[in-house]
Amino acid sequence: MKISQVAEILNANVLTGEDMLDHEVHSACGSDMMSDVLAFVKDQGVLLSGLINVQVIRTLLMMDMNCVVFVRGKVPPAGIVDFAAENGVVVLQTALPMFESCGRLYCAGLGRKDQPEEAACECGCCSPAEGLNGNDHE
Amino acid sequence: MSEALHYHFDVDGASFANAGRASVETKKLLRQLGVSPEIIRSISVAMYEGEINMVIHAHGGDADVYITEDTIIIILKDVGPGIRNVEEAMKEGFSTAPENIRALGFGAGMGLPNMKRYSDEMHIDTKVGVGTTIELWYHLNK
């Protein structure tokens, strides 16, 4: 999945990294505990987090991850966005909560071993079969 | 290790925001030297956890990186409080970090286990009230 699709599925703002939206990501991890990310993330992927500090970006750099999504409407300060930009990390920001953000990406097939086209997703807004119309769930 | 490349970093214990700088720099250096991405990632993660530990528990310290043809050794040395029970500290989930550190995304009790997980050998020399030195070894020709 391209980072641009991640942004579209999550109705996310792109705070930096516009030039990297074509990059592919293969998995995602939702966590506010950076040590857990360091311990368990295997493939290059997207980190979704409600934690906002510079160590989130450093954790991504250590893990060779290139995209972070700040969830729950939290807006990172400019210093963090600048640090991400300097190091080639895409920063997305969505109003959606963590649970729904992860759910939408999972439904759309990110990080799944089964075939997303065949997987039944009933939310109606994020299944690839239904197209990505970007509507809210409500 | 007479022919080893040696890089030294001061780990600033005064600022949590600065923790990890040495690891980021080391990662860049290792990339320039052509070390394989898997080894670079292991070293980065282990060293980063070590740096975070030094800042959380020991007011910073020294990080030294030695690189020879077949081995990379990271030495993290602090003069902090020492580790009272190493066996306990090695258990995943065991942490003595204060609540404010957990709120920053660390202190989940994964620091030392992660360092062990992401190194070929880890040697801990610690004495309560004196400090801790941790060596992380990586064998390049496995």
Side-chain angles (χ1 to χ4, degrees), chain A residues 34 38-39 53 55 58 61 64, chain B residues 16-17 19 27 48 105 114 118:
Chain A
M34 295 304 106
L38 292 166
N53 66 44
Q55 301 303 354
R58 285 217 180 91
L61 296 178
D64 299 317
Chain B
F16 181 76
K27 184 162 193 168
Y48 182 46
N114 268 353
Y118 286 103

Side-chain angles (χ1 to χ4, degrees), chain B:
Chain B
M1 293 215 300
S2 58
E3 291 174 32
L5 291 171
H6 173 217
Y7 301 94
H8 173 80
F9 302 93
D10 292 321
V11 177
D12 173 13
S15 161
F16 181 76
N18 286 339
R21 280 189 166 180
S23 305
V24 171
E25 287 307 311
T26 299
K27 184 162 193 168
K28 286 179 187 164
L29 281 168
L30 296 176
R31 267 204 198 123
Q32 286 166 6
L33 291 170
V35 177
S36 81
E38 292 78 22
I39 291 176
I40 291 178
R41 189 191 294 185
S42 295
I43 291 173
S44 304
V45 171
M47 189 171 168
Y48 182 46
E49 287 281 18
E51 260 192 273
I52 294 280
N53 270 350
M54 289 163 91
V55 173
I56 292 174
H57 297 290
H59 311 295
D62 296 303
D64 288 278
V65 179
Y66 296 91
I67 304 167
T68 66
E69 237 172 66
D70 55 5
T71 312
I72 297 176
I73 303 169
I74 315 289
I75 301 179
L76 304 167
K77 184 178 170 67
D78 69 58
V79 289
I83 303 168
R84 201 165 287 280
N85 185 333
V86 173
E87 200 181 324
E88 210 166 32
M90 287 304 302
K91 287 181 190 158
E92 292 193 359
F94 177 85
S95 175
T96 58
E99 196 54 43
N100 65 321
I101 294 300
R102 289 170 208 246
L104 294 169
F106 291 89
M110 296 301 291
L112 285 174
N114 268 353
M115 292 167 77
K116 173 104 180 150
R117 179 180 282 135
Y118 286 103
S119 60
D120 294 329
E121 292 175 43
M122 179 166 88
H123 305 285
I124 301 177
D125 181 12
T126 186
K127 195 167 181 191
V128 173
V130 177
T132 300
T133 300
I134 296 182
E135 290 190 14
L136 301 163
W137 286 60
Y138 300 86
H139 304 295
L140 302 179
N141 303 317
K142 281 181 282 190

Side-chain angles (χ1 to χ4, degrees), chain A residues 30-78:
Chain A
S31 181
D32 290 354
M33 287 309 293
M34 295 304 106
S35 280
D36 283 350
V37 178
L38 292 166
F40 301 120
V41 173
K42 295 275 184 289
D43 302 316
Q44 205 175 53
V46 180
L47 175 67
L48 297 98
S49 186
L51 178 73
I52 294 194
N53 66 44
V54 72
Q55 301 303 354
V56 176
I57 308 298
R58 285 217 180 91
T59 298
L60 287 172
L61 296 178
M62 297 305 147
M63 300 301 289
D64 299 317
M65 299 166 90
N66 60 5
C67 179
V68 61
V69 182
F70 289 116
V71 299
R72 302 196 282 267
K74 293 186 179 178
V75 182

